[in-house]
Amino acid sequence: MEPAMENNKGQNNWDEDTSKRYLNYGRYFVPAREQQMRIMVDLLKGLPQPFAILKLCCGEGLLVELILGDIRGATVIGLDGSQVMLEKAHIRLRRFTGRYQLVKFDLADQSWRKLEQPVQAVVSSLAVHHLEGDGKQALFRDVYAMLSPGGAFIIADMVEPATVSGRNVAADAWDEVVRQRSLEQDASTAAMDFFQQEGWNTYRYLDRMTSTIPAICLTS
Ligand SMILES: C[S@@+](CC[C@H](N)C(=O)[O-])C[C@H]1O[C@@H](n2cnc3c(N)ncnc32)[C@H](O)[C@@H]1O
């Protein structure tokens, strides 16, 4: 079936409907999601502790929950642009009250990039790809200035292959992972069918989008 491209707003044009779809389907659509989060927490554990962490585009708070549960004394500021996501995150994180803050923000905006105190880590999963190239460069520069000495910026995200064939390989691999995750979780391809119908595999349709933002998950 031809994907509904009018619904595919591109990864830089996220709205609350996209949040709702992601809340329902993220568990199928994100390759190796569990390993990705585990690796990020393990990397954080290597930093001097206790420490403050800034989480960009925290979504429903899955990674923040894992961090707070696993790293004694860590505090997290979670930022996201979606009210729907922030409300979900508040419910998820309630038992950690006092160790986290959730704040609405625009990733591309400069206003959140001046912290009163430096943080030991900035963490980002599936967020940086929402910026174009110059926006990414500015973000990396600004995050560097937010970090205390020895701090880390840990990113799990998508990159654009250098060639069309690389992009096709990535698109095929993403389809296959979603198919497997659909079957594993539901013994059905319904989630995979939705993935295709929605045109979520941005690599497949990058040429037809106005944005140049790449969108494949490199999580393993
Ligand atoms: C693909 S989800 C990733 C969520 C979470 N980090 C994860 O790994 O599951 C993208 C998240 O980025 C947020 N987002 C997208 N564009 C944004 C922007 N320009 N400013 C702030 N948040 C944004 C969305 O609300 C959503 O929670």
Side-chain angles (χ1 to χ4, degrees), residues 11-14 19 22 30 33 36 55-60 62 79-82 85 105-108 124-127 129-131 158 200:
Q11 302 293 322
N12 60 335
N13 195 11
W14 192 281
S19 284
Y22 188 78
V30 181
R33 188 183 217 191
Q36 173 197 293
K55 171 69 172 80
L56 307 182
C57 295
C58 62
E60 63 181 301
L62 292 172
L79 306 174
D80 202 276
S82 160
M85 289 291 194
F105 90 140
D106 179 356
L107 180 64
S124 171
S125 59
L126 308 178
H129 68 273
H130 290 289
L131 298 173
M158 311 164 174
W200 201 282

Side-chain angles (χ1 to χ4, degrees), residues 76-125:
V76 181
I77 302 171
L79 306 174
D80 202 276
S82 160
Q83 198 58 39
V84 171
M85 289 291 194
L86 290 172
E87 283 165 15
K88 279 273 182 191
H90 264 303
I91 294 167
R92 178 179 299 284
L93 299 173
R94 232 180 337 225
R95 71 185 186 279
F96 297 110
T97 297
R99 292 180 57 205
Y100 74 91
Q101 293 174 57
L102 295 173
V103 181
K104 197 161 190 282
F105 90 140
D106 179 356
L107 180 64
D109 194 38
Q110 300 289 316
S111 57
W112 58 273
R113 300 185 188 187
K114 296 270 180 283
L115 298 178
E116 283 175 20
Q117 300 288 333
V119 289
Q120 281 72 39
V122 176
V123 180
S124 171
S125 59

Side-chain angles (χ1 to χ4, degrees), residues 33-207:
R33 188 183 217 191
E34 304 74 18
Q35 293 94 323
Q36 173 197 293
M37 292 196 293
R38 189 72 259 155
I39 288 167
M40 295 182 91
V41 173
D42 287 346
L43 288 170
L44 284 169
K45 282 180 172 172
L47 296 174
Q49 297 174 32
F51 56 93
I53 298 165
L54 191 67
K55 171 69 172 80
L56 307 182
C57 295
C58 62
E60 63 181 301
L62 292 172
L63 181 60
V64 177
E65 181 182 33
L66 204 58
I67 292 169
L68 292 173
D70 261 33
I71 306 179
R72 187 187 290 264
T75 58
V76 181
I77 302 171
L79 306 174
D80 202 276
S82 160
Q83 198 58 39
V84 171
M85 289 291 194
L86 290 172
E87 283 165 15
K88 279 273 182 191
H90 264 303
I91 294 167
R92 178 179 299 284
L93 299 173
R94 232 180 337 225
R95 71 185 186 279
F96 297 110
T97 297
R99 292 180 57 205
Y100 74 91
Q101 293 174 57
L102 295 173
V103 181
K104 197 161 190 282
F105 90 140
D106 179 356
L107 180 64
D109 194 38
Q110 300 289 316
S111 57
W112 58 273
R113 300 185 188 187
K114 296 270 180 283
L115 298 178
E116 283 175 20
Q117 300 288 333
V119 289
Q120 281 72 39
V122 176
V123 180
S124 171
S125 59
L126 308 178
V128 173
H129 68 273
H130 290 289
L131 298 173
E132 298 281 357
D134 54 352
K136 290 186 183 98
Q137 286 181 12
L139 178 75
F140 295 154
R141 185 193 59 227
D142 294 342
V143 166
Y144 181 77
M146 290 177 188
L147 292 171
S148 57
F153 186 15
I154 300 174
I155 303 171
D157 218 305
M158 311 164 174
V159 296
E160 184 172 2
T163 62
V164 171
S165 58
R167 191 190 299 169
N168 289 337
V169 167
D172 289 348
W174 197 1
D175 275 349
E176 179 53 22
V177 168
V178 176
R179 195 181 71 82
Q180 282 172 15
R181 290 180 73 91
S182 302
L183 288 171
E184 278 164 18
Q185 293 180 60
D186 296 344
S188 150
T189 59
M192 170 61 179
D193 297 341
F194 187 72
F195 180 75
Q196 293 193 322
Q197 179 192 321
E198 287 282 301
W200 201 282
N201 190 337
T202 320
Y203 267 130
R204 199 61 83 206
Y205 311 110
L206 207 53
D207 291 335

